[in-house]
Amino acid sequence: MLPTFVRSTPDGTETGDFLALDLGGTNFRVLLVRVSGNGKQKVEMENQIYAIPENIMRGSGTELFDHIAECLANFLEKLGIKDKKLPLGFTFSFPCLQTKLDESFLVSWTKGFKASGVEGRDVVGLLRKAIKKRGDFDIDIVAVINDTVGTMMTCGYDDHHCEIGLIVGTGTNACYMEEMRHLELVDGDEGRMCVNMEWGAFGDDGSLDDIRTEFDREIDAGSLNPGKQLFARRLNKMVRLLVPDCDVRFLRSEDGSGKGAAMVTAVAYRLAKQHAERQRILNTLRLNRDQLLEVKKRMEEEMNRGLAKKTHATATVKMLPTFVRSTPDGTERGDFLALDLGGTNFRVLLVRVRSGKRRSVEMHNKIYTIPQDITQGTGEELFDHIVHCIADFVEYMGMKGASLPLGFTFSFPCHQTQLDQGILIKWTKGFKASGCEGEDVATLLKDAIHRSEDFDLDVVAVVNDTVGTMMTCGYEDPQCEVGLIVGTGTNACYMEEMSNVELVDGDEGRMCVNMEWGAFGDRGELDDLCTEFDRAVDDQSTYPGKQRYEKMISGMYLGEIVRNVLLDFTAKGLLFRGKLSERLKTRGIFETKFLSQIESDRLALRQVRSILQHLGLTSSTCDDSILVKEVCSVVSKRAAQLCGAGLSAVVDKIRLNRGLEKLSITVGVDGTLYKLHPHFATIMRETLKDLAPNCEVTLVQSEDGSGKGAALITAVACRLRDAGK
Ligand code: ADP
């Protein structure tokens, strides 16, 4: 069971001129194989048979390889291609221990060969040496293969299901494509590799003695290597009898050891070329440290521009004051309603906050869907629907008639001039209801409540989900002064010095600033990092040109970036054998949760395949699965690094605001992408550590910031209001 380092069978796109040497049968041959792929799939061959005299077969290894080089020179001369340096595949059909595609150590001679000083040596090295010694021509030895492998590869060129090679001639042997994870001799678990079984030696330990006859023993005793190579029987019919569950087709392979060697070389060439092309494309999605530092620097600049009155209007990172001036102190109490709009679902919550010894937060909530036609309809329809849901919830909780204080988590960029007011700047995350931008959402909500004439509510606070996230975490951990969301969209908030918040009067204390950092890049700050895939995703989005940073990071877009890369790879023939499926052309079909699935789990390849099957890519190979996985991890890594770079700017700003050498701070984080992706949090943490080494940042998962957080903000506001009365 020897690894051969042949990792793929032909896909029919191979093309070029290849040389092959075939040593191991009765004859020694040199071949020139012309492969023309891309539709034509034609293979033409020229070949010349050379004899290997008995004395050379049994002489010294040097003599043998000098002879081979001599024959090769003669062949090249004859065809007039001596100056071409063509790639060559070397079929060497003896038991070898292969360590690379082009490195193979002869274990022991068989089939009458006995040349001295070759066993235990790398035969490619010996051949290269012999050629170099002559100095009259040069070739590129790409692969050394066994004739069984050649047989499989030759058939594989015409039949993509051919994954077994079998020889029954002078000797017998077989090879097949084995899963890498079963191949403990070679590092790596992914994909497949052809294994040369060397099954001829089966029985050498006596395991076939009970079925050997005296004739077998006589033949064995008279052979060159007595005790070896017992198993030489034809099995074809038996196979069908013994494994009735497998539909095995036997294809006669023509000239596997010649054409096959060229084919292995051609495949290796194709793989190398395709690999280089794929990496070139993926490299556009990879960021180095300098680029990340640059992102941090530009984020810092935009933050300052957003905070300053003079530059606020043109800043992409809006740094919106939230009028939340402090985190909870534990004395808050009462029943509150909370609305959560802006995520995947719309929710209504009842939150009971208790203070003192029984300090706790208890929540009841109900999820409502907002149909797509309502998110894209009129503002009135949207808010009537919301009020309808509230009425249903209040009734459901048996609280009809109570007028509770309400916190409205509205996770879209809003201008606030006071806590209970939020003027929608622009819709994001797929919402498009008309007549809302530029309006106060609290007023829109109150108007809808009045229209319903059903109940009354006291809208106390308009809350952004990042702020809710920070407040929820802050209820447990007073060091929590940053909130971060990485879900459908991405955003962050933090406690900024009032003296820096120029949009609000007063210099005392701090105020939470809703950064709205998703729009970072909208002035072109990220253009040099954007790839054609980012541009494609942006073009196809609901608001092209907007939320550029978010579109490189958040759950709504990562799957789409991956899908666009896969489309490009397929169109370039680098994936799925160049066959585009209709489903993959469908926007949104590659969900971001697939990235999490594909990038986790030991059995990932199987999962990748089932996901690809779901995408209608039933003929995907395992190489395809490996590549899809690589694309996913490149895209999610970039997202986590970009997010980490942004956050490093935030924590370093807080540190400098306070004139500290070192800052210890907690970030409350929410969002399904952050929570469920197997590597996002780790990569983000590493990036932070690297880019903001003077900040000791603790990332804490925040549970239900938009519900609990909204209630806490409302509770704090009620406490302050009551105290003021
Ligand atoms: P929101 O941000 O809308 O409040 P979530 O935090 O639940 O809601 O984020 C939803 C986003 O998370 C969706 O865009 C979805 O693509 C993504 N998502 C869902 N499941 C996973 C997962 N297992 N891994 C990564 N992302 C996921």
Side-chain angles (χ1 to χ4, degrees):
M1 302 300 276
L2 303 168
T4 65
F5 296 83
V6 170
R7 292 168 193 265
S8 166
T9 50
D11 72 353
T13 65
E14 292 78 10
T15 178
D17 288 358
F18 303 93
L19 288 168
L21 286 183
D22 173 16
L23 179 70
T26 335
N27 296 313
F28 165 60
R29 288 183 314 152
V30 186
L31 304 92
L32 174 67
V33 183
R34 301 208 139 102
V35 186
S36 35
N38 295 334
K40 277 180 273 160
Q41 284 218 19
K42 219 169 78 190
V43 179
E44 290 168 325
M45 302 202 288
E46 304 245 15
N47 80 87
Q48 171 85 49
I49 296 175
Y50 296 91
I52 300 191
E54 188 81 15
N55 62 320
I56 290 186
M57 271 172 84
R58 293 161 185 248
S60 78
T62 317
E63 281 171 324
L64 176 64
F65 281 92
D66 283 350
H67 178 67
I68 294 171
E70 167 84 43
C71 298
L72 192 51
N74 175 280
F75 181 79
L76 298 177
E77 186 95 54
K78 219 181 75 188
L79 292 184
I81 50 172
K82 219 171 167 181
D83 56 342
K84 278 214 163 137
K85 197 177 179 195
L86 290 174
L88 176 138
F90 184 13
T91 302
F92 187 77
S93 305
F94 301 93
C96 282
L97 197 64
Q98 198 150 359
T99 42
K100 292 179 197 159
L101 188 58
D102 65 346
E103 187 178 83
S104 193
F105 296 85
L106 174 64
V107 176
S108 59
W109 284 119
T110 55
K111 292 180 271 193
F113 279 79
K114 278 266 159 171
S116 63
V118 183
E119 288 180 347
R121 306 277 302 276
D122 165 30
V123 293
V124 174
L126 292 173
L127 178 58
R128 283 197 182 120
K129 211 166 113 191
I131 293 171
K132 199 164 173 207
K133 198 162 75 187
R134 296 176 55 90
D136 58 340
F137 69 94
D138 198 6
I139 49 168
D140 176 17
I141 307 178
V142 174
V144 55
I145 67 161
N146 185 282
D147 54 355
T148 44
V149 182
T151 299
M152 178 187 79
M153 294 292 271
T154 304
C155 268
Y157 189 67
D158 301 313
D159 176 349
H160 297 324
H161 292 296
C162 181
E163 295 188 278
I164 303 176
L166 172 68
I167 303 266
V168 188
T170 309
T172 181
N173 192 12
C175 70
Y176 69 101
M177 296 303 285
E178 177 58 276
E179 305 299 320
M180 276 294 283
R181 64 175 186 280
H182 296 155
L183 262 172
E184 292 184 6
L185 295 178
V186 185
D187 287 343
D189 271 352
E190 307 212 315
R192 296 189 183 139
M193 183 179 281
C194 181
V195 171
N196 167 16
M197 295 180 68
E198 286 300 339
W199 77 4
F202 182 40
D204 291 3
D205 59 352
S207 55
L208 291 176
D209 281 1
D210 52 344
I211 59 166
R212 283 175 77 202
T213 65
E214 60 187 288
F215 309 109
D216 295 316
R217 275 186 280 274
E218 214 166 285
I219 287 171
D220 176 36
S223 69
L224 274 172
N225 35 20
K228 305 267 161 81
Q229 303 290 336
L230 275 178
F231 190 84
R233 288 279 180 272
R234 289 196 212 122
L235 296 170
N236 303 16
K237 274 186 196 155
M238 265 312 184
V239 168
R240 292 205 170 109
L241 215 74
L242 293 176
V243 279
D245 293 344
C246 298
D247 177 16
V248 184
R249 265 167 304 147
F250 290 93
L251 278 186
R252 285 252 301 267
S253 171
E254 297 301 331
D255 202 3
S257 38
K259 190 169 154 185
M263 214 45 87
V264 171
T265 310
V267 169
Y269 252 55
R270 167 178 61 82
L271 292 180
K273 215 169 93 190
Q274 291 182 331
H275 179 74
E277 176 63 2
R278 289 186 195 109
Q279 291 308 316
R280 187 192 63 73
I281 296 170
L282 287 179
N283 280 342
T284 63
L285 288 153
R286 293 189 169 109
L287 301 176
N288 60 36
R289 190 166 186 272
D290 287 344
Q291 288 171 308
L292 292 171
L293 277 170
E294 188 60 30
V295 172
K296 179 189 177 193
K297 198 182 105 203
R298 291 182 199 167
M299 178 65 87
E300 240 165 62
E301 285 164 11
E302 277 310 299
M303 286 168 74
N304 288 326
R305 283 169 37 79
L307 285 169
K309 246 188 194 146
K310 240 178 31 213
T311 43
H312 175 81
T314 57
T316 56
V317 179
K318 284 292 179 203
M319 307 298 278
L320 304 168
T322 65
F323 295 83
V324 170
R325 293 168 197 263
S326 89
T327 45
D329 70 357
T331 64
E332 298 78 10
R333 53 189 296 184
D335 287 357
F336 305 92
L337 273 182
L339 298 183
D340 173 15
L341 179 72
T344 317
N345 298 306
F346 169 60
R347 288 183 315 154
V348 186
L349 304 95
L350 174 68
V351 186
R352 299 212 141 103
V353 183
R354 293 204 177 91
S355 61
K357 277 214 186 84
R358 289 158 59 226
R359 193 178 156 223
S360 66
V361 179
E362 184 192 308
M363 303 201 293
H364 305 270
N365 77 82
K366 207 170 160 190
I367 292 172
Y368 297 88
T369 55
I370 298 190
Q372 176 123 23
D373 58 313
I374 290 189
T375 63
Q376 316 282 314
T378 69
E380 252 180 41
E381 283 165 348
L382 174 64
F383 280 90
D384 283 345
H385 180 74
I386 290 172
V387 168
H388 179 77
C389 296
I390 301 173
D392 175 82
F393 180 76
V394 172
E395 173 134 23
Y396 167 78
M397 294 301 298
M399 297 182 62
K400 225 174 156 192
S403 168
L404 295 176
L406 177 137
F408 185 8
T409 301
F410 185 77
S411 306
F412 300 94
C414 282
H415 241 305
Q416 285 189 273
T417 49
Q418 51 201 56
L419 187 62
D420 61 356
Q421 195 191 64
I423 294 162
L424 175 63
I425 298 171
K426 60 180 182 198
W427 286 119
T428 56
K429 292 179 273 190
F431 277 74
K432 231 183 169 172
S434 62
C436 300
E437 291 180 352
E439 300 296 322
D440 169 26
V441 294
T443 306
L444 293 175
L445 178 63
K446 283 181 210 156
D447 290 350
I449 293 171
H450 292 148
R451 275 200 297 278
S452 84
E453 292 178 2
D454 203 18
F455 57 94
D456 203 17
L457 289 171
D458 174 19
V459 182
V460 175
V462 174
V463 178
N464 187 277
D465 55 353
T466 46
V467 187
T469 298
M470 182 189 78
M471 292 292 269
T472 304
C473 235
Y475 192 62
E476 318 288 342
D477 176 354
Q479 273 207 353
C480 181
E481 296 186 274
V482 183
L484 171 69
I485 304 266
V486 194
T488 305
T490 182
N491 191 14
C493 71
Y494 71 101
M495 295 305 288
E496 178 57 274
E497 307 302 314
M498 271 301 285
S499 54
N500 290 335
V501 185
E502 293 186 9
L503 298 184
V504 180
D505 290 340
D507 277 350
E508 289 300 302
R510 297 180 183 143
M511 181 179 282
C512 181
V513 168
N514 166 18
M515 293 178 67
E516 287 300 335
W517 79 2
F520 180 49
D522 291 5
R523 270 195 319 134
E525 308 97 289
L526 293 169
D527 281 4
D528 52 342
L529 306 182
C530 277
T531 64
E532 57 183 296
F533 312 112
D534 297 303
R535 286 187 282 275
V537 169
D538 181 43
D539 286 345
Q540 298 153 11
S541 69
T542 320
Y543 5 75
K546 301 273 185 276
Q547 302 291 106
R548 300 306 300 270
Y549 186 57
E550 177 165 270
K551 282 172 181 161
M552 297 168 95
I553 293 177
S554 73
M556 187 154 184
Y557 307 101
L558 291 195
E560 268 301 281
I561 300 176
V562 168
R563 187 181 69 85
N564 276 279
V565 177
L566 300 186
L567 280 178
D568 182 61
F569 276 3
T570 311
K572 292 190 168 124
L574 301 170
L575 184 67
F576 305 138
R577 297 188 206 284
K579 288 203 188 71
L580 267 184
S581 80
E582 279 307 313
R583 297 209 63 185
L584 192 61
K585 289 189 206 157
T586 315
R587 232 182 87 192
I589 191 80
F590 205 103
E591 293 174 47
T592 298
K593 70 169 185 225
F594 295 151
L595 272 76
S596 293
Q597 290 170 9
I598 286 171
E599 290 181 62
S600 51
D601 207 46
R602 259 183 63 79
L603 294 173
L605 270 195
R606 283 228 305 267
Q607 292 207 340
V608 178
R609 259 184 127 157
S610 75
I611 291 167
L612 296 181
Q613 263 156 21
H614 163 82
L615 294 175
L617 298 161
T618 38
S619 68
S620 63
T621 63
C622 48
D623 288 334
D624 290 338
S625 306
I626 295 169
L627 181 57
V628 170
K629 189 172 175 182
E630 189 176 11
V631 173
C632 289
S633 68
V634 167
V635 168
S636 61
K637 181 176 185 180
R638 187 185 67 154
Q641 287 179 325
L642 283 171
C643 192
L647 200 54
S648 73
V650 175
V651 292
D652 248 354
K653 178 154 188 4
I654 297 174
R655 183 178 67 82
L656 294 173
N657 278 346
R658 302 179 189 178
L660 296 172
E661 196 81 32
K662 293 264 171 202
L663 173 76
S664 175
I665 196 161
T666 300
V667 179
V669 195
D670 204 347
T672 305
L673 174 57
Y674 177 86
K675 286 178 176 170
L676 294 189
H677 189 279
H679 311 301
F680 198 98
T682 313
I683 296 170
M684 199 173 92
R685 204 171 272 130
E686 283 167 5
T687 310
L688 258 177
K689 209 168 164 183
D690 188 30
L691 303 186
N694 293 320
C695 299
E696 192 192 302
V697 184
T698 311
L699 298 166
V700 175
Q701 287 198 13
S702 169
E703 294 306 327
D704 203 2
S706 35
K708 192 167 158 181
L712 286 170
I713 291 169
T714 310
V716 171
C718 287
R719 168 169 61 79
L720 296 178
R721 193 170 63 182
D722 293 349
K725 267 183 196 161

